Amino acid sequence: MMNTLLGQNFRFGYYDIPPADRMRAIRSAGFDSVMFWWGDDFESVDGSRYDLYDTAVRFGLQCTTVHFPSVHSDYLWYDDSRGDGYTEAFLTAIDDCGERNIGHVVIHLTRSLITPPPNEIGVRNFGRMLSAAEKRGVKIAVENTRFLNYNRLIYGRYKSEMLGFCYDCGHNNCYTPTESPLTEFGAALCTTHIHDNDGTGDQHRPMGDGTVNYDSVFSGLKALGARELNLESYDNKWYSLHGRQTMDEYLRMSYTLLHERATKYGFELD
């Protein structure tokens, strides 16, 4: 049986510390893997995605999941240069990840409240992206965000081993608390985003610093055989201990919380 990876998102705070030192600290805290943004949005602070990947490998961290930029996720649904450009950028990301054996690229189907209604243009653009993913052997991990009807449309139109699901428990808690995306889309589960909030917004607090029901989350993930438990939590302004921990203290705390939950629910760990 394959062990479950315990991962940490690279953008967890402490941005004044050099990227290599942040990466080293993630590994030193005990994490097996690291996630990062597969775009240039944060290059001025984090360096390039290519350098981050190389640094992760150098420190012995696996990189099985990256996040495609969500800043223009609404572009997927437009029949103009926006839709074409967004699709082409995703095709480039798929090539990048295929070359590096990165197995999962997380994508949002919506952007905040400004995304057009689900339409055939978006379905067509997504089909191009999925075809490229199939050729490269890279799985598109569609994330649950505000509106699950977009997910339903895509999963209803495409059946592919390269069409996966990224379960985000924080989004579930604040955006769709009366729905169960893990139950609805869990058959396609391939990766996760684990973080907390108080139900009023997408705050990305550490586990236990909000109202997410982690007993429900982890029992559901265990039942589905999850192989990646990735924290997408930050030391940010919503965190109750914001600014009161060193980077190493924060990461050790985060790792301990995740490891304890994974152990409690019987995940196979190193």
Side-chain angles (χ1 to χ4, degrees):
M1 181 178 292
M2 293 176 56
N3 287 337
T4 300
L5 296 177
L6 302 184
Q8 168 64 55
N9 185 44
F10 186 67
R11 294 196 59 76
F12 60 90
Y14 303 91
Y15 304 122
D16 57 322
I17 297 174
D21 292 340
R22 283 182 269 149
M23 193 76 75
R24 183 186 295 109
I26 290 172
R27 183 60 178 145
S28 295
F31 290 101
D32 309 302
S33 62
V34 62
M35 302 187 301
F36 40 83
W37 198 256
W38 205 259
D40 57 11
D41 307 63
F42 307 113
E43 281 194 350
S44 62
V45 175
D46 296 340
S48 80
R49 54 198 177 277
Y50 309 109
D51 289 343
L52 287 178
Y53 175 83
D54 292 342
T55 302
V57 171
R58 186 167 73 250
F59 288 129
L61 285 163
Q62 297 189 51
C63 180
T64 58
T65 295
V66 297
H67 204 311
F68 188 69
S70 60
V71 179
H72 298 300
S73 295
D74 58 309
Y75 285 7
L76 175 69
W77 305 94
Y78 293 115
D79 188 19
D80 55 23
S81 60
R82 290 172 294 180
D84 293 339
Y86 183 84
T87 302
E88 289 298 327
F90 191 85
L91 299 184
T92 298
I94 286 293
D95 284 341
D96 288 343
C97 292
E99 290 173 4
R100 292 163 177 80
N101 294 315
I102 299 171
H104 310 132
V105 180
V106 175
I107 186 172
H108 290 189
L109 297 180
T110 62
R111 176 190 172 200
S112 188
L113 300 175
I114 66 175
T115 305
N119 57 57
E120 289 300 313
I121 299 160
V123 172
R124 180 195 67 202
N125 288 337
F126 192 91
R128 286 187 60 202
M129 293 154 54
L130 184 58
S131 293
E134 290 170 338
K135 291 175 183 176
R136 275 296 196 173
V138 177
K139 189 168 288 192
I140 302 177
V142 178
E143 186 173 346
N144 56 297
T145 52
R146 280 180 170 84
F147 306 110
L148 301 184
N149 54 325
Y150 293 82
N151 300 61
R152 294 180 186 115
L153 175 61
I154 293 299
Y155 287 122
R157 296 295 289 275
Y158 294 111
K159 307 298 178 186
S160 171
E161 291 185 359
M162 292 299 108
L163 176 55
F165 174 51
C166 173
Y167 175 61
D168 189 304
C169 66
H171 290 171
N172 193 176
N173 191 59
C174 68
Y175 293 143
T176 58
T178 63
E179 299 181 269
S180 181
L182 188 58
T183 300
E184 188 170 356
F185 311 124
L189 181 71
C190 61
T191 191
T192 56
H193 287 168
I194 298 171
H195 53 101
D196 219 329
N197 59 66
D198 64 5
T200 66
D202 189 23
Q203 298 157 348
H204 288 266
R205 300 182 187 184
M207 291 175 62
D209 202 54
T211 61
V212 170
N213 183 339
Y214 284 105
D215 288 324
S216 176
V217 168
F218 278 82
S219 61
L221 292 174
K222 176 59 178 175
L224 291 167
R227 292 295 170 214
E228 293 190 12
L229 301 176
N230 293 316
L231 295 180
E232 201 187 25
S233 48
Y234 315 141
D235 183 352
N236 59 24
K237 64 181 181 180
W238 289 287
Y239 176 36
S240 61
L241 295 179
H242 176 52
R244 294 162 56 188
Q245 293 173 306
T246 67
M247 175 180 67
D248 290 335
E249 289 171 341
Y250 174 83
L251 288 171
R252 283 197 298 269
M253 175 272 298
S254 296
Y255 177 79
T256 298
L257 290 171
L258 183 60
H259 190 277
E260 287 177 347
R261 285 285 182 174
T263 300
K264 176 180 178 180
Y265 283 93
F267 286 89
E268 297 290 331
L269 307 174
D270 286 334

